[in-house]
Coordinates of all heavy atoms in Angstrom, one line a residue:
M141 N -20.6 -77.0 13.6 CA -21.2 -75.7 14.0 C -21.3 -75.6 15.5 O -21.8 -76.5 16.2 CB -22.5 -75.5 13.3 CG -23.1 -74.2 13.5 SD -24.4 -74.1 12.2 CE -25.3 -72.9 12.8
A142 N -20.8 -74.5 16.1 CA -20.9 -74.4 17.5 C -22.2 -73.9 18.0 O -22.9 -73.1 17.4 CB -19.8 -73.4 18.0
T143 N -22.7 -74.5 19.1 CA -24.0 -74.1 19.7 C -23.7 -73.1 20.8 O -22.7 -73.3 21.5 CB -24.8 -75.3 20.1 OG1 -24.0 -76.0 21.1 CG2 -25.1 -76.2 19.0
S144 N -24.6 -72.2 21.0 CA -24.5 -71.3 22.1 C -25.2 -71.8 23.3 O -26.4 -72.2 23.3 CB -25.1 -69.9 21.6 OG -25.1 -69.0 22.7
N145 N -24.5 -71.8 24.4 CA -25.1 -72.3 25.7 C -25.3 -71.1 26.6 O -25.1 -71.2 27.8 CB -24.2 -73.3 26.4 CG -24.1 -74.6 25.6 OD1 -25.1 -74.9 24.9 ND2 -23.1 -75.4 25.8
K146 N -25.6 -70.0 26.0 CA -25.9 -68.7 26.8 C -27.1 -68.9 27.6 O -28.2 -69.3 27.2 CB -26.0 -67.6 25.8 CG -26.1 -66.2 26.5 CD -26.1 -65.1 25.4 CE -26.1 -63.8 26.1 NZ -26.1 -62.7 25.1
V147 N -26.9 -68.6 28.9 CA -28.0 -68.7 29.9 C -28.8 -67.4 29.8 O -28.3 -66.3 30.0 CB -27.5 -69.0 31.3 CG1 -28.7 -69.0 32.3 CG2 -26.7 -70.3 31.3
V148 N -30.1 -67.5 29.6 CA -31.0 -66.4 29.6 C -31.6 -66.2 31.0 O -32.2 -67.1 31.5 CB -32.1 -66.6 28.5 CG1 -33.1 -65.4 28.5 CG2 -31.5 -66.8 27.1
P149 N -31.4 -65.0 31.5 CA -32.0 -64.7 32.9 C -33.5 -64.9 32.8 O -34.2 -64.6 31.8 CB -31.6 -63.3 33.1 CG -30.5 -63.0 32.2 CD -30.7 -63.8 31.0
P150 N -34.1 -65.4 34.0 CA -35.5 -65.6 34.0 C -36.4 -64.4 33.7 O -37.4 -64.5 33.0 CB -35.8 -66.1 35.4 CG -34.4 -66.4 36.0 CD -33.4 -65.7 35.2
L151 N -35.9 -63.2 34.1 CA -36.7 -62.0 33.9 C -36.8 -61.7 32.4 O -37.8 -61.3 31.9 CB -36.2 -60.8 34.6 CG -37.0 -59.6 34.7 CD1 -38.4 -60.0 35.3 CD2 -36.4 -58.5 35.6
E152 N -35.7 -62.0 31.6 CA -35.7 -61.8 30.2 C -36.7 -62.7 29.5 O -37.4 -62.4 28.5 CB -34.3 -61.9 29.6 CG -33.4 -60.7 30.0 CD -32.1 -60.8 29.3 OE1 -31.9 -61.5 28.3 OE2 -31.1 -60.1 29.8
T153 N -36.7 -64.0 30.0 CA -37.7 -65.0 29.4 C -39.1 -64.5 29.7 O -39.9 -64.5 28.8 CB -37.4 -66.3 30.1 OG1 -36.1 -66.7 29.9 CG2 -38.3 -67.4 29.5
V154 N -39.4 -64.1 30.9 CA -40.7 -63.6 31.2 C -41.1 -62.4 30.4 O -42.2 -62.2 29.9 CB -40.9 -63.3 32.7 CG1 -42.2 -62.7 33.1 CG2 -40.7 -64.6 33.5
L155 N -40.1 -61.5 30.2 CA -40.3 -60.3 29.4 C -40.7 -60.6 27.9 O -41.6 -60.1 27.4 CB -39.1 -59.4 29.4 CG -39.2 -58.1 28.6 CD1 -40.4 -57.2 29.1 CD2 -37.9 -57.3 28.7
A156 N -40.0 -61.6 27.4 CA -40.3 -62.1 26.0 C -41.7 -62.6 26.0 O -42.5 -62.4 25.0 CB -39.3 -63.1 25.6
E157 N -42.1 -63.4 27.0 CA -43.5 -63.9 27.1 C -44.5 -62.8 27.2 O -45.6 -62.8 26.6 CB -43.6 -64.9 28.2 CG -42.8 -66.2 28.1 CD -42.9 -67.0 29.4 OE1 -43.7 -66.7 30.3 OE2 -42.1 -68.0 29.4
L158 N -44.2 -61.8 28.0 CA -45.1 -60.7 28.2 C -45.3 -59.9 26.9 O -46.4 -59.5 26.6 CB -44.5 -59.7 29.3 CG -45.3 -58.5 29.6 CD1 -46.7 -58.9 30.1 CD2 -44.6 -57.6 30.6
Q159 N -44.2 -59.7 26.1 CA -44.3 -59.0 24.9 C -45.2 -59.8 23.9 O -46.0 -59.2 23.1 CB -42.9 -58.7 24.3 CG -42.2 -57.7 25.1 CD -40.7 -57.6 24.7 OE1 -40.1 -58.5 24.1 NE2 -40.1 -56.4 24.9
D160 N -45.0 -61.1 23.9 CA -45.9 -61.9 23.1 C -47.3 -61.8 23.5 O -48.2 -61.7 22.6 CB -45.4 -63.4 23.1 CG -46.2 -64.3 22.3 OD1 -46.4 -64.0 21.1 OD2 -46.7 -65.4 22.8
L161 N -47.6 -61.9 24.8 CA -49.0 -61.7 25.3 C -49.5 -60.4 24.9 O -50.7 -60.3 24.5 CB -49.0 -61.9 26.8 CG -49.0 -63.3 27.3 CD1 -48.9 -63.4 28.8 CD2 -50.3 -64.0 26.9
A162 N -48.7 -59.3 25.0 CA -49.2 -58.0 24.7 C -49.7 -57.9 23.3 O -50.7 -57.3 23.0 CB -48.2 -56.9 25.0
S163 N -48.9 -58.5 22.4 CA -49.3 -58.4 20.9 C -50.5 -59.3 20.7 O -51.4 -58.9 19.9 CB -48.2 -58.9 20.0 OG -47.8 -60.2 20.3
R164 N -50.7 -60.4 21.4 CA -51.8 -61.3 21.3 C -53.1 -60.6 21.8 O -54.2 -60.6 21.2 CB -51.6 -62.6 22.0 CG -50.7 -63.5 21.2 CD -50.3 -64.8 21.9 NE -51.5 -65.4 22.6 CZ -51.3 -66.3 23.6 NH1 -50.1 -66.6 24.0 NH2 -52.4 -66.9 24.1
I165 N -52.9 -59.9 23.0 CA -54.1 -59.1 23.6 C -54.5 -58.0 22.6 O -55.7 -57.8 22.5 CB -53.7 -58.6 24.9 CG1 -53.6 -59.7 25.9 CG2 -54.7 -57.6 25.4 CD1 -53.0 -59.3 27.3
A166 N -53.6 -57.3 22.0 CA -53.9 -56.2 21.1 C -54.8 -56.7 19.9 O -55.5 -55.9 19.4 CB -52.7 -55.5 20.6
N167 N -54.6 -58.0 19.5 CA -55.3 -58.5 18.3 C -56.6 -59.2 18.6 O -57.2 -59.8 17.7 CB -54.3 -59.4 17.5 CG -53.2 -58.6 17.0 OD1 -53.3 -57.4 16.5 ND2 -52.0 -59.2 17.0
V168 N -57.0 -59.3 19.9 CA -58.2 -60.0 20.3 C -59.3 -59.0 20.4 O -59.2 -57.9 21.0 CB -58.0 -60.8 21.6 CG1 -59.3 -61.4 22.1 CG2 -56.9 -61.8 21.4
D169 N -60.5 -59.4 19.9 CA -61.7 -58.6 20.0 C -62.3 -58.8 21.4 O -62.6 -60.0 21.8 CB -62.7 -58.9 18.9 CG -63.9 -58.1 19.0 OD1 -63.9 -56.9 19.5 OD2 -65.0 -58.5 18.5
A170 N -62.6 -57.8 22.2 CA -63.2 -57.9 23.5 C -64.7 -58.1 23.5 O -65.3 -58.5 24.4 CB -62.9 -56.6 24.3
G171 N -65.3 -57.9 22.3 CA -66.7 -58.1 22.2 C -67.5 -56.8 22.5 O -66.9 -55.7 22.6
T172 N -68.8 -57.0 22.6 CA -69.7 -55.8 22.8 C -70.4 -55.7 24.1 O -71.0 -54.7 24.4 CB -70.7 -55.7 21.7 OG1 -71.5 -56.9 21.7 CG2 -70.1 -55.6 20.3
D173 N -70.3 -56.8 24.9 CA -70.9 -56.8 26.2 C -70.2 -55.8 27.1 O -69.0 -56.0 27.5 CB -70.9 -58.2 26.8 CG -71.6 -58.4 28.1 OD1 -72.4 -57.5 28.5 OD2 -71.3 -59.3 28.9
A174 N -70.9 -54.8 27.6 CA -70.3 -53.7 28.4 C -69.7 -54.3 29.7 O -68.6 -53.8 30.1 CB -71.3 -52.6 28.7
R175 N -70.4 -55.2 30.3 CA -69.8 -55.7 31.6 C -68.5 -56.5 31.4 O -67.6 -56.4 32.1 CB -70.9 -56.6 32.3 CG -72.0 -55.8 32.9 CD -72.9 -56.8 33.6 NE -74.0 -56.1 34.3 CZ -75.0 -56.6 34.9 NH1 -75.1 -57.9 35.0 NH2 -75.9 -55.9 35.4
R176 N -68.6 -57.3 30.3 CA -67.4 -58.1 30.0 C -66.2 -57.2 29.6 O -65.1 -57.4 30.1 CB -67.7 -59.1 28.9 CG -66.6 -60.0 28.6 CD -67.2 -61.1 27.7 NE -66.0 -61.8 27.1 CZ -65.9 -62.3 25.9 NH1 -67.0 -62.2 25.1 NH2 -64.9 -62.9 25.5
V177 N -66.5 -56.2 28.8 CA -65.4 -55.3 28.4 C -64.8 -54.5 29.6 O -63.6 -54.4 29.7 CB -66.0 -54.3 27.3 CG1 -65.0 -53.2 27.0 CG2 -66.3 -55.1 26.0
K178 N -65.7 -54.1 30.5 CA -65.2 -53.4 31.7 C -64.4 -54.3 32.5 O -63.3 -53.9 33.0 CB -66.4 -52.9 32.5 CG -66.0 -52.1 33.7 CD -67.1 -51.5 34.5 CE -66.6 -50.8 35.7 NZ -67.7 -50.2 36.5
K179 N -64.8 -55.6 32.7 CA -64.0 -56.5 33.5 C -62.6 -56.7 32.9 O -61.6 -56.8 33.6 CB -64.8 -57.8 33.6 CG -64.1 -58.9 34.5 CD -65.0 -60.1 34.6 CE -64.3 -61.2 35.5 NZ -65.1 -62.4 35.6
I180 N -62.6 -56.9 31.6 CA -61.3 -57.0 30.9 C -60.4 -55.8 31.0 O -59.2 -55.9 31.3 CB -61.6 -57.4 29.4 CG1 -62.2 -58.7 29.2 CG2 -60.3 -57.3 28.6 CD1 -62.8 -59.1 27.9
R181 N -61.1 -54.6 30.8 CA -60.3 -53.4 31.0 C -59.7 -53.2 32.4 O -58.5 -52.9 32.5 CB -61.2 -52.2 30.6 CG -60.5 -50.8 30.7 CD -61.4 -49.7 30.3 NE -62.6 -49.7 31.0 CZ -62.8 -49.2 32.2 NH1 -61.8 -48.8 32.9 NH2 -64.0 -49.2 32.8
L182 N -60.5 -53.5 33.4 CA -60.0 -53.4 34.8 C -58.9 -54.4 35.0 O -57.9 -54.1 35.7 CB -61.1 -53.6 35.8 CG -62.2 -52.5 35.8 CD1 -63.3 -52.9 36.7 CD2 -61.6 -51.2 36.2
G183 N -59.0 -55.6 34.4 CA -57.9 -56.6 34.6 C -56.6 -56.1 33.9 O -55.5 -56.3 34.5
L184 N -56.8 -55.5 32.7 CA -55.6 -55.0 32.0 C -55.0 -53.9 32.8 O -53.7 -53.8 32.9 CB -56.0 -54.6 30.6 CG -56.2 -55.7 29.6 CD1 -56.8 -55.1 28.3 CD2 -55.0 -56.5 29.3
E185 N -55.8 -53.0 33.4 CA -55.3 -51.9 34.2 C -54.5 -52.4 35.4 O -53.5 -51.8 35.7 CB -56.4 -50.9 34.5 CG -56.9 -50.1 33.4 CD -58.1 -49.2 33.8 OE1 -58.6 -49.3 34.9 OE2 -58.6 -48.5 32.9
K186 N -55.0 -53.4 36.0 CA -54.4 -54.0 37.2 C -53.0 -54.6 36.8 O -52.0 -54.3 37.4 CB -55.2 -55.1 37.9 CG -54.6 -55.7 39.1 CD -55.4 -56.7 39.7 CE -54.7 -57.3 40.9 NZ -55.2 -58.6 41.3
A187 N -53.0 -55.3 35.7 CA -51.7 -55.9 35.2 C -50.7 -54.8 34.8 O -49.5 -54.9 35.1 CB -52.0 -56.8 34.0
M188 N -51.2 -53.7 34.2 CA -50.3 -52.6 33.8 C -49.8 -51.9 35.1 O -48.6 -51.6 35.1 CB -51.1 -51.6 33.0 CG -51.4 -52.1 31.6 SD -52.2 -50.9 30.4 CE -52.9 -49.7 31.4
S189 N -50.6 -51.8 36.1 CA -50.0 -51.1 37.3 C -49.0 -52.0 38.0 O -48.0 -51.5 38.5 CB -51.2 -50.8 38.3 OG -51.7 -51.9 38.8
E190 N -49.2 -53.3 38.0 CA -48.2 -54.2 38.5 C -46.9 -54.2 37.7 O -45.8 -54.2 38.3 CB -48.7 -55.6 38.6 CG -49.8 -55.8 39.6 CD -50.5 -57.2 39.6 OE1 -50.1 -58.1 38.8 OE2 -51.5 -57.4 40.3
I191 N -47.0 -54.1 36.4 CA -45.8 -54.0 35.6 C -45.1 -52.7 35.8 O -43.9 -52.6 35.9 CB -46.2 -54.2 34.1 CG1 -46.7 -55.6 33.8 CG2 -45.1 -53.8 33.2 CD1 -47.3 -55.9 32.5
K192 N -45.9 -51.6 35.9 CA -45.3 -50.3 36.2 C -44.6 -50.3 37.5 O -43.5 -49.7 37.6 CB -46.4 -49.2 36.2 CG -45.8 -47.8 36.3 CD -47.0 -46.8 36.1 CE -46.7 -45.4 36.4 NZ -45.4 -44.9 36.3
A193 N -45.1 -50.9 38.5 CA -44.5 -51.0 39.8 C -43.2 -51.8 39.7 O -42.2 -51.4 40.3 CB -45.4 -51.6 40.9
T194 N -43.2 -52.8 39.0 CA -42.0 -53.6 38.8 C -40.9 -52.8 38.0 O -39.7 -52.8 38.4 CB -42.3 -54.9 38.0 OG1 -43.2 -55.7 38.7 CG2 -41.0 -55.7 37.8
T195 N -41.3 -52.1 37.0 CA -40.4 -51.2 36.2 C -39.8 -50.2 37.1 O -38.6 -49.9 37.1 CB -41.2 -50.5 35.1 OG1 -41.8 -51.5 34.3 CG2 -40.3 -49.7 34.3
E196 N -40.6 -49.5 38.0 CA -40.0 -48.5 38.9 C -39.1 -49.1 39.9 O -38.1 -48.5 40.3 CB -41.2 -47.8 39.6 CG -42.0 -46.9 38.7 CD -43.2 -46.3 39.3 OE1 -43.6 -46.7 40.5 OE2 -43.9 -45.5 38.6
R197 N -39.4 -50.3 40.4 CA -38.5 -51.0 41.3 C -37.2 -51.3 40.7 O -36.1 -51.3 41.3 CB -39.2 -52.3 41.8 CG -38.5 -52.9 43.0 CD -39.2 -54.2 43.5 NE -38.9 -55.2 42.5 CZ -39.8 -56.0 42.0 NH1 -41.0 -56.0 42.4 NH2 -39.5 -56.9 41.1
L198 N -37.1 -51.7 39.4 CA -35.9 -52.0 38.7 C -35.1 -50.8 38.4 O -33.9 -50.9 38.1 CB -36.2 -52.8 37.4 CG -36.8 -54.2 37.6 CD1 -37.2 -54.8 36.3 CD2 -35.8 -55.1 38.3
D199 N -35.7 -49.6 38.3 CA -35.0 -48.4 38.0 C -34.1 -47.9 39.2 O -34.7 -47.6 40.2 CB -36.0 -47.3 37.6 CG -35.3 -46.1 37.0 OD1 -34.1 -46.1 36.9 OD2 -36.0 -45.2 36.6
P200 N -32.8 -47.8 39.0 CA -32.0 -47.4 40.1 C -32.1 -45.9 40.5 O -31.7 -45.5 41.5 CB -30.6 -47.7 39.7 CG -30.6 -47.7 38.2 CD -32.0 -48.1 37.8
V201 N -32.7 -45.1 39.6 CA -32.8 -43.7 39.8 C -34.2 -43.4 40.3 O -35.2 -43.7 39.7 CB -32.6 -42.9 38.5 CG1 -32.8 -41.4 38.7 CG2 -31.3 -43.2 37.9
W202 N -34.3 -42.9 41.6 CA -35.6 -42.6 42.2 C -36.1 -41.4 41.5 O -35.5 -40.4 41.3 CB -35.4 -42.4 43.7 CG -36.6 -42.0 44.4 CD1 -37.6 -42.8 44.8 CD2 -37.0 -40.7 44.7 NE1 -38.6 -42.1 45.3 CE2 -38.3 -40.8 45.3 CE3 -36.5 -39.4 44.6 CZ2 -39.0 -39.7 45.8 CZ3 -37.2 -38.3 45.1 CH2 -38.4 -38.5 45.7
R203 N -37.4 -41.5 41.2 CA -38.1 -40.4 40.5 C -39.1 -39.7 41.5 O -39.8 -40.5 42.2 CB -38.8 -40.8 39.3 CG -37.8 -41.5 38.3 CD -38.4 -41.6 36.9 NE -37.6 -42.3 36.0 CZ -36.5 -41.9 35.4 NH1 -36.2 -40.6 35.5 NH2 -35.8 -42.6 34.6
P204 N -39.1 -38.4 41.6 CA -40.0 -37.8 42.5 C -41.4 -37.9 42.1 O -41.7 -38.1 40.9 CB -39.6 -36.3 42.5 CG -38.9 -36.1 41.2 CD -38.3 -37.5 40.9
E205 N -42.3 -37.9 43.1 CA -43.8 -38.1 42.8 C -44.3 -36.9 42.0 O -45.1 -37.0 41.1 CB -44.5 -38.2 44.1 CG -44.2 -39.4 44.9 CD -45.1 -40.5 44.8 OE1 -46.3 -40.2 44.4 OE2 -44.7 -41.6 45.0
S206 N -43.7 -35.7 42.3 CA -44.2 -34.5 41.5 C -43.0 -33.5 41.4 O -42.0 -33.7 42.2 CB -45.3 -33.8 42.3 OG -44.9 -33.4 43.5
I207 N -43.1 -32.6 40.5 CA -42.0 -31.6 40.3 C -42.7 -30.2 40.3 O -43.9 -30.1 40.1 CB -41.3 -31.8 39.0 CG1 -42.2 -31.8 37.8 CG2 -40.5 -33.1 39.0 CD1 -41.5 -31.7 36.5
F208 N -41.9 -29.2 40.6 CA -42.4 -27.8 40.6 C -42.4 -27.4 39.2 O -41.4 -27.3 38.5 CB -41.4 -26.9 41.4 CG -41.9 -25.5 41.4 CD1 -43.0 -25.1 42.1 CD2 -41.2 -24.6 40.6 CE1 -43.4 -23.8 42.0 CE2 -41.6 -23.2 40.6 CZ -42.7 -22.8 41.3
D209 N -43.6 -27.1 38.7 CA -43.8 -26.6 37.3 C -44.5 -25.3 37.4 O -45.7 -25.3 37.5 CB -44.6 -27.7 36.5 CG -44.8 -27.2 35.1 OD1 -44.2 -26.3 34.6 OD2 -45.6 -27.9 34.4
P210 N -43.8 -24.2 37.2 CA -44.4 -22.9 37.3 C -45.5 -22.6 36.2 O -46.3 -21.7 36.3 CB -43.3 -21.9 37.3 CG -42.1 -22.6 36.8 CD -42.4 -24.1 37.0
S211 N -45.4 -23.4 35.1 CA -46.4 -23.2 34.1 C -47.7 -23.9 34.4 O -48.7 -23.6 33.7 CB -45.9 -23.7 32.7 OG -45.7 -25.1 32.8
D212 N -47.8 -24.7 35.4 CA -49.0 -25.3 35.8 C -49.9 -24.3 36.5 O -49.5 -23.8 37.6 CB -48.7 -26.5 36.7 CG -49.9 -27.3 37.2 OD1 -51.0 -27.1 36.6 OD2 -49.8 -28.0 38.2
P213 N -51.1 -24.1 36.0 CA -52.0 -23.1 36.7 C -52.3 -23.4 38.1 O -52.4 -22.5 38.9 CB -53.3 -23.1 35.8 CG -52.9 -23.8 34.6 CD -51.7 -24.7 34.8
N214 N -52.4 -24.6 38.5 CA -52.7 -25.0 39.9 C -51.5 -24.6 40.8 O -51.7 -24.0 41.9 CB -53.0 -26.5 40.0 CG -53.5 -26.9 41.4 OD1 -54.0 -26.1 42.1 ND2 -53.3 -28.1 41.7
T215 N -50.3 -24.9 40.3 CA -49.1 -24.5 41.1 C -49.0 -23.0 41.2 O -48.8 -22.4 42.3 CB -47.8 -25.0 40.4 OG1 -48.0 -26.5 40.3 CG2 -46.6 -24.7 41.2
T216 N -49.2 -22.3 40.1 CA -49.1 -20.8 40.1 C -50.2 -20.2 41.0 O -49.9 -19.3 41.8 CB -49.3 -20.3 38.7 OG1 -48.3 -20.9 37.8 CG2 -49.1 -18.8 38.7
G217 N -51.4 -20.7 41.0 CA -52.4 -20.3 41.9 C -52.1 -20.4 43.3 O -52.4 -19.6 44.2
R218 N -51.5 -21.6 43.7 CA -51.1 -21.8 45.1 C -50.0 -20.9 45.5 O -50.1 -20.4 46.6 CB -50.7 -23.3 45.3 CG -51.8 -24.3 45.2 CD -51.3 -25.7 45.3 NE -52.4 -26.6 45.1 CZ -53.0 -27.3 46.1 NH1 -52.7 -27.0 47.3 NH2 -54.0 -28.1 45.8
V219 N -49.1 -20.6 44.7 CA -48.0 -19.7 45.0 C -48.5 -18.3 45.2 O -48.2 -17.6 46.2 CB -46.9 -19.7 43.9 CG1 -45.9 -18.6 44.1 CG2 -46.2 -21.0 43.9
V220 N -49.4 -17.9 44.3 CA -50.0 -16.5 44.5 C -50.8 -16.4 45.8 O -50.8 -15.5 46.5 CB -50.8 -16.2 43.2 CG1 -51.7 -14.9 43.5 CG2 -49.9 -16.0 42.0
A221 N -51.6 -17.5 46.0 CA -52.5 -17.5 47.2 C -51.6 -17.4 48.5 O -51.9 -16.7 49.4 CB -53.4 -18.7 47.2
L222 N -50.6 -18.2 48.5 CA -49.7 -18.2 49.7 C -49.0 -16.9 49.9 O -48.8 -16.4 51.0 CB -48.7 -19.4 49.6 CG -49.3 -20.8 49.8 CD1 -48.2 -21.8 49.5 CD2 -49.8 -21.0 51.2
T223 N -48.6 -16.3 48.8 CA -48.0 -15.0 48.9 C -48.9 -13.9 49.4 O -48.6 -13.1 50.2 CB -47.5 -14.6 47.5 OG1 -46.6 -15.6 47.0 CG2 -46.7 -13.2 47.5
M224 N -50.2 -14.0 48.9 CA -51.2 -13.0 49.4 C -51.5 -13.2 50.9 O -51.7 -12.2 51.6 CB -52.4 -13.1 48.5 CG -52.2 -12.6 47.1 SD -53.7 -12.7 46.1 CE -54.6 -11.3 46.8
I225 N -51.6 -14.4 51.3 CA -51.9 -14.7 52.7 C -50.7 -14.2 53.6 O -51.0 -13.7 54.7 CB -52.2 -16.2 52.9 CG1 -53.5 -16.6 52.3 CG2 -52.2 -16.6 54.4 CD1 -53.8 -18.0 52.2
A226 N -49.5 -14.3 53.1 CA -48.3 -14.0 53.9 C -48.2 -12.5 54.1 O -47.5 -12.0 55.0 CB -47.1 -14.6 53.3
Q227 N -48.8 -11.7 53.2 CA -48.7 -10.2 53.3 C -49.5 -9.6 54.4 O -50.5 -10.2 54.8 CB -49.1 -9.6 52.0 CG -48.2 -9.9 50.8 CD -48.6 -9.2 49.5 OE1 -49.6 -8.5 49.5 NE2 -47.9 -9.5 48.5
E228 N -49.1 -8.5 54.8 CA -49.9 -7.8 55.9 C -51.2 -7.2 55.2 O -51.1 -6.8 54.1 CB -49.0 -6.6 56.4 CG -49.7 -5.8 57.5 CD -48.8 -4.6 58.0 OE1 -47.6 -4.7 57.8 OE2 -49.4 -3.7 58.4
R229 N -52.3 -7.3 55.9 CA -53.5 -6.9 55.4 C -53.7 -5.4 55.6 O -53.2 -4.8 56.6 CB -54.7 -7.6 56.1 CG -54.7 -9.1 55.8 CD -55.9 -9.7 56.5 NE -56.0 -11.1 56.1 CZ -57.2 -11.7 55.9 NH1 -58.3 -11.0 56.0 NH2 -57.2 -12.9 55.5
H230 N -54.3 -4.8 54.6 CA -54.6 -3.3 54.6 C -56.1 -3.1 54.4 O -56.7 -3.8 53.6 CB -53.8 -2.6 53.5 CG -52.3 -2.7 53.6 ND1 -51.6 -2.1 54.6 CD2 -51.5 -3.5 53.0 CE1 -50.3 -2.4 54.4 NE2 -50.2 -3.3 53.5
S231 N -56.7 -2.2 55.0 CA -58.1 -1.9 54.8 C -58.2 -1.2 53.5 O -57.4 -0.5 53.0 CB -58.7 -1.1 56.0 OG -58.7 0.3 55.6
L232 N -59.4 -1.4 52.9 CA -59.6 -0.8 51.5 C -59.7 0.7 51.6 O -59.4 1.4 50.7 CB -60.9 -1.3 51.0 CG -60.9 -2.8 50.6 CD1 -62.3 -3.3 50.1 CD2 -59.9 -3.0 49.5
V233 N -60.1 1.3 52.8 CA -60.1 2.7 53.0 C -58.7 3.3 52.9 O -58.5 4.4 52.5 CB -60.8 3.0 54.3 CG1 -60.8 4.5 54.6 CG2 -62.2 2.5 54.3
A234 N -57.7 2.6 53.3 CA -56.3 3.1 53.4 C -55.7 3.2 52.0 O -54.6 3.8 51.8 CB -55.5 2.2 54.3
I235 N -56.3 2.6 51.0 CA -55.8 2.6 49.6 C -56.1 4.0 49.0 O -57.2 4.4 49.0 CB -56.3 1.5 48.8 CG1 -56.0 0.1 49.4 CG2 -55.8 1.6 47.3 CD1 -56.6 -1.0 48.7
P236 N -55.0 4.7 48.6 CA -55.3 6.0 48.0 C -56.0 5.9 46.6 O -55.8 4.9 45.9 CB -53.9 6.6 47.8 CG -53.0 5.5 47.8 CD -53.6 4.4 48.6
R237 N -56.8 6.9 46.3 CA -57.5 7.0 45.0 C -56.5 7.2 43.9 O -55.5 7.9 44.1 CB -58.5 8.1 45.0 CG -59.5 7.9 46.1 CD -60.7 8.8 45.9 NE -61.6 8.0 45.0 CZ -62.8 8.4 44.7 NH1 -63.3 9.5 45.1 NH2 -63.6 7.7 44.0
A238 N -56.7 6.6 42.8 CA -55.8 6.7 41.7 C -56.7 6.8 40.4 O -57.8 6.3 40.4 CB -54.9 5.5 41.6
I239 N -56.2 7.5 39.4 CA -56.9 7.6 38.2 C -56.4 6.4 37.3 O -55.2 6.2 37.1 CB -56.5 8.9 37.4 CG1 -57.0 10.1 38.3 CG2 -57.2 9.0 36.1 CD1 -56.5 11.5 37.8
A240 N -57.4 5.6 36.9 CA -57.0 4.5 36.1 C -57.8 4.4 34.9 O -58.9 4.8 34.7 CB -57.2 3.2 36.9

């Protein structure tokens, strides 16, 4: 029987270890001590941000920090505000009376 001498890249080995660790972490009880739980949570968040940074670095496609989304109320409000500021100001007395 032939044996495979396929070389596994180091990053793939580390990824397999990381996946194993992630499943082990998910099955461990953090306890009830609030300080300890917070310390564990902050440690996990730091690890996640480092993994996310590595993931983004490996992605050859640069992703923008933000996109223009006209359905976002904050974006729409800013567009309306900038449009109103850019218009010429009129006094309220100059506005003709209308039946509404």
Side-chain angles (χ1 to χ4, degrees):
M141 187 162 159
T143 58
S144 175
N145 292 336
K146 188 175 184 181
V147 177
V148 178
L151 193 55
E152 288 184 19
T153 304
V154 173
L155 180 60
E157 293 173 10
L158 180 62
Q159 290 170 335
D160 181 50
L161 278 173
S163 64
R164 287 175 42 202
I165 289 170
N167 294 322
V168 174
D169 182 25
T172 57
D173 182 21
R175 287 184 178 175
R176 185 170 167 215
V177 170
K178 181 178 180 181
K179 185 177 179 181
I180 292 169
R181 183 178 49 80
L182 292 174
L184 285 171
E185 287 175 357
K186 181 181 179 202
M188 288 183 340
S189 69
E190 291 173 5
I191 292 169
K192 184 172 173 29
T194 302
T195 303
E196 290 172 355
R197 192 182 70 226
L198 292 173
D199 190 357
V201 178
W202 177 78
R203 301 197 187 277
E205 300 258 337
S206 63
I207 58 170
F208 177 73
D209 180 11
S211 66
D212 179 16
N214 190 23
T215 303
T216 305
R218 288 177 185 262
V219 169
V220 169
L222 289 173
T223 303
M224 291 181 73
I225 289 172
Q227 292 180 1
E228 183 180 334
R229 292 182 175 221
H230 302 283
S231 98
L232 292 177
V233 177
I235 298 173
R237 298 193 90 172
I239 299 174

